[in-house]
Amino acid sequence: MITESMIRGIGMTSQRTRERLVRRLAEKGIRDKRVLDVIKNTPRHLFVDEALASRAYEDTALPIGHGQTISQPYIVARMTELLLAEKTPDRVLEVGTGCGYQSAILSQLVNEVFSVERIDLLLQQTRRRMRSLKLSNVRFKHSDGSWGWESKAPYDGIIVTAAPSEVPEALLKQLAPGGRLVIPVGQQGDAQQLAVIDRTPEGYVQEMFESVSFVPLVNGEV
Ligand code: SAH
């Protein structure tokens, strides 16, 4: 649970600043009130370096070191909204933990989150951050997430926050029947597109959504 006393701080991080961000997301088309509420109550400035804290409530991606970024709030909101649209998943796998912002949003909306990151130094920082925010229903693993997290599968929802050129087979396999995968697909630089893949009794059904720009899904761990 994130409480108001954890968020309070300098002017930039005030309730009003966060409300402004949520208004902007609603204007851009985010409809799910649960998602907007959670974004309103999540201190994004605690997920970036202090030097960038004053920009944390702008609707932009920001660098988090190791050549990676914290996703743009609109994209986090949009992917979360798509993941929850048909039914709220119970257990969710995230590939690409990064600073843990998307994990923190999910952890307040679903029962359990399993998140995999290939850069150990990033993950160590994120584990500490989640502990201090008391978000205890997120479990992390240092691994190449293109293999998913098999021992915890199946998942009702899978969200991938780095772009592969093709959907990894392992993720399709680890999706529970009735489950949903939200994933950006495409080469970096070229048009990546957000795909939503449902595992239905008739098989996997894919629908394409807006163009996006993610860091690439990279093989191997460091
Ligand atoms: N979910 C983050 C987005 C982080 S950016 C947020 O909320 O802001 C994408 C992350 O995916 C980076 O940290 C990158 O290291 C990680 N990544 C890239 N390829 C990966 C792979 N094969 N397995 C696990 N993580 C990967």
Side-chain angles (χ1 to χ4, degrees), residues 32 34-35 77-94 102-103 105-114 137 154-160 174-182 196-199:
D32 192 323
R34 296 168 298 175
V35 174
R78 183 70 180 129
M79 290 177 81
T80 309
E81 181 175 74
L82 287 168
L83 191 72
L84 270 62
E86 296 298 321
K87 59 175 192 286
T88 305
D90 189 42
R91 305 168 75 255
V92 172
L93 171 69
E94 177 191 30
Q102 172 78 71
S103 335
I105 298 297
L106 285 170
S107 81
Q108 299 170 78
L109 291 163
V110 308
N111 216 1
E112 275 184 291
V113 180
F114 300 86
N137 60 342
Y155 305 97
D156 313 300
I158 301 180
I159 187 166
V160 182
Q174 290 173 28
L175 200 58
R180 169 169 280 200
L181 167 63
V182 181
V196 170
I197 301 171
D198 287 318
R199 183 168 189 176

Side-chain angles (χ1 to χ4, degrees), residues 130-175:
M130 299 307 253
R131 264 199 299 275
S132 68
L133 287 170
K134 302 201 173 11
L135 297 173
S136 53
N137 60 342
V138 188
R139 297 173 70 182
F140 298 102
K141 182 181 161 95
H142 174 225
S143 171
D144 177 348
S146 17
W147 302 104
W149 186 341
E150 198 172 6
S151 62
K152 306 289 183 195
Y155 305 97
D156 313 300
I158 301 180
I159 187 166
V160 182
T161 64
S165 46
E166 275 171 49
V167 178
E169 198 68 34
L171 300 183
L172 294 172
K173 287 211 179 100
Q174 290 173 28
L175 200 58

Side-chain angles (χ1 to χ4, degrees), residues 68-71 94 96-98 102 117-119 144-145 161 218:
Q68 306 304 321
T69 54
I70 180 173
S71 300
E94 177 191 30
T97 314
Q102 172 78 71
E117 169 60 52
R118 66 180 287 274
I119 302 178
D144 177 348
T161 64
V218 179

Side-chain angles (χ1 to χ4, degrees), residues 37-100:
D37 277 349
V38 166
I39 289 182
K40 190 164 72 192
N41 294 323
T42 302
R44 190 167 181 260
H45 65 283
L46 299 182
F47 291 80
V48 296
D49 195 84
E50 250 173 82
L52 290 170
S54 66
R55 301 191 53 200
Y57 299 95
E58 292 173 16
D59 188 23
T60 54
L62 294 168
I64 56 168
H66 310 275
Q68 306 304 321
T69 54
I70 180 173
S71 300
Q72 180 192 356
Y74 171 78
I75 292 298
V76 172
R78 183 70 180 129
M79 290 177 81
T80 309
E81 181 175 74
L82 287 168
L83 191 72
L84 270 62
E86 296 298 321
K87 59 175 192 286
T88 305
D90 189 42
R91 305 168 75 255
V92 172
L93 171 69
E94 177 191 30
V95 175
T97 314
C99 64

